[in-house]
Structure formats: C-alpha cells, structure tokens
Amino acid sequence: MKTRFISKKYFMLSIALIILVVAGVTMLIKYEQPGRYSSTNTKSKTIDRHFTKAIEYMQQRQYEQAVAEWHKLMLLNPDIPEVQVNMGFSLFELGKYETARDFFVSAMERYSFQANAYYGLAIVSEQLGDMEGAMGAMRSYIHLAKDNDKFIRKARSALWEWERQLEAKRKSEVDNKQTTP
C-alpha cells in the first residue's frame, strides 16, 4: 500500500513537471514569433538599416547626411532615445547648438538613464556659455556612466576644468567689485 502511495506521488509530480515544461516552451515560442519582438519584420529591418547608415555617416563626419537618416528614423519610431542623442551629436558637430540641446533633453525625457544624453547636454551647454548647466549635466553623466566607459576620464577632466574656470571667474568678479569705488 505504501509503495502504491509513493508511486502515485511521483506520478503526480512527474505530470506537474511535464505541464510546467510544456507551458514554458509554449511561452518561449509565443514570444519568439517572427515579426513580434525580433528584427525580422520589415519595419525593424528598415530601422536597423537607417541606424547603421546614420552611424556610418557620423563616423565619416558627414553630419548633414547623418541628420537626414536620424530624421527618417524618428519618423519610423520617435521613441528611441539613442536616435535623439545621436541626432543631438550630429547637430552639435554642425554647430547647431540650441537644436542639439533640444534633442539631448528630449532623449533624457524619454529615458532618464540615457547617460550619453547628459554628456551631450554638457558639451552643448558649454558651447552656449551655460557653465553651471554644463557642470550639472556632466555630473549626471559621471554618476550614470559605467566605470569602464571610455569617456568617463574625459568627462571628469572637463568637469574639473570647468570648475576651475568658474572659480577663477567668480574670484575675478569679486576682485573687480572690491576695486571699483
């Protein structure tokens, strides 16, 4: 009798395990359907093609062409923060600082942990003469960036330099106020 109970117990556990495995496989198949989450659908392929082309243009320093590709990508999917950031960097290189700033801010609004958006905002703020904004954005970048990020040393160096410049400017202003009757 006891043997029969143990056999029945293992049989029921085996059935439960089989049901769990079948359910798991079914879930995997459901979420791996082509066109649902993979890049096999047409829109995803188009996005991948434009993204790759835009990056190639940036690497070749052909920023006008890169801007055109980023624009096409935004028409396909306006919610990709990397597109916003790279549009910002392309516009920065073209000297369109105010517009670049808007794209960096837009990327941060879409995804607040987009570290390179803060880096972009910092360098564009410097160009626009907003040193306080540049330092705040760079501090945020340093906070969000991983330790092995290839730009982290450059960011720390820029922050140090900006702090010294601002300190010297403030000291100069204080000295001028004291010498002016």
Side-chain angles (χ1 to χ4, degrees):
M1 183 99 159
K2 188 174 185 180
T3 311
R4 193 174 201 191
F5 176 73
I6 292 174
S7 296
K8 190 174 184 179
K9 181 179 174 182
Y10 285 116
F11 176 75
M12 295 304 281
L13 284 173
S14 299
I15 295 295
L17 183 61
I18 290 170
I19 291 171
L20 285 173
V21 168
V22 169
V25 169
T26 303
M27 294 285 288
L28 283 174
I29 291 170
K30 180 180 178 183
Y31 288 104
E32 291 297 320
Q33 290 175 349
R36 185 166 183 173
Y37 295 104
S38 66
S39 63
T40 58
N41 68 32
T42 305
K43 187 173 181 181
S44 292
K45 286 182 180 179
T46 303
I47 288 172
D48 290 346
R49 188 177 66 249
H50 285 296
F51 197 94
T52 301
K53 193 69 173 166
I55 293 294
E56 288 172 1
Y57 282 137
M58 286 183 74
Q59 290 170 340
Q60 297 166 2
R61 302 185 190 279
Q62 296 176 1
Y63 300 110
E64 291 285 346
Q65 292 89 339
V67 166
E69 291 298 320
W70 296 128
H71 182 71
K72 291 173 188 173
L73 276 161
M74 285 187 282
L75 292 174
L76 290 168
N77 187 343
D79 297 322
I80 304 173
E82 292 83 359
V83 172
Q84 303 286 325
V85 171
N86 285 315
M87 175 68 98
F89 281 117
S90 296
L91 291 165
F92 175 83
E93 292 296 335
L94 292 169
K96 298 177 180 179
Y97 303 126
E98 293 87 1
T99 309
R101 178 186 54 210
D102 293 343
F103 278 99
F104 293 129
V105 170
S106 177
M108 290 184 292
E109 289 170 349
R110 292 182 190 319
Y111 184 65
S112 61
F113 295 103
Q114 188 73 32
N116 58 348
Y118 291 92
Y119 187 92
L121 181 61
I123 63 173
V124 81
S125 295
E126 177 194 24
Q127 290 299 314
L128 293 169
D130 178 10
M131 297 310 291
E132 294 284 344
M135 290 188 306
M138 197 59 85
R139 284 187 190 104
S140 295
Y141 168 75
I142 291 168
H143 176 74
L144 291 171
K146 295 180 177 24
D147 289 335
N148 63 349
D149 189 301
K150 66 181 182 178
F151 293 103
I152 196 80
R153 288 181 64 188
K154 188 175 181 180
R156 288 184 177 129
S157 176
L159 183 58
W160 182 86
E161 185 179 317
W162 295 339
E163 288 171 342
R164 297 305 155 260
Q165 289 173 1
L166 196 57
E167 188 178 297
K169 181 181 176 187
R170 287 180 180 155
K171 187 175 187 290
S172 174
E173 289 172 353
V174 168
D175 290 345
N176 286 341
K177 285 183 180 179
Q178 289 176 350
T179 58
T180 306

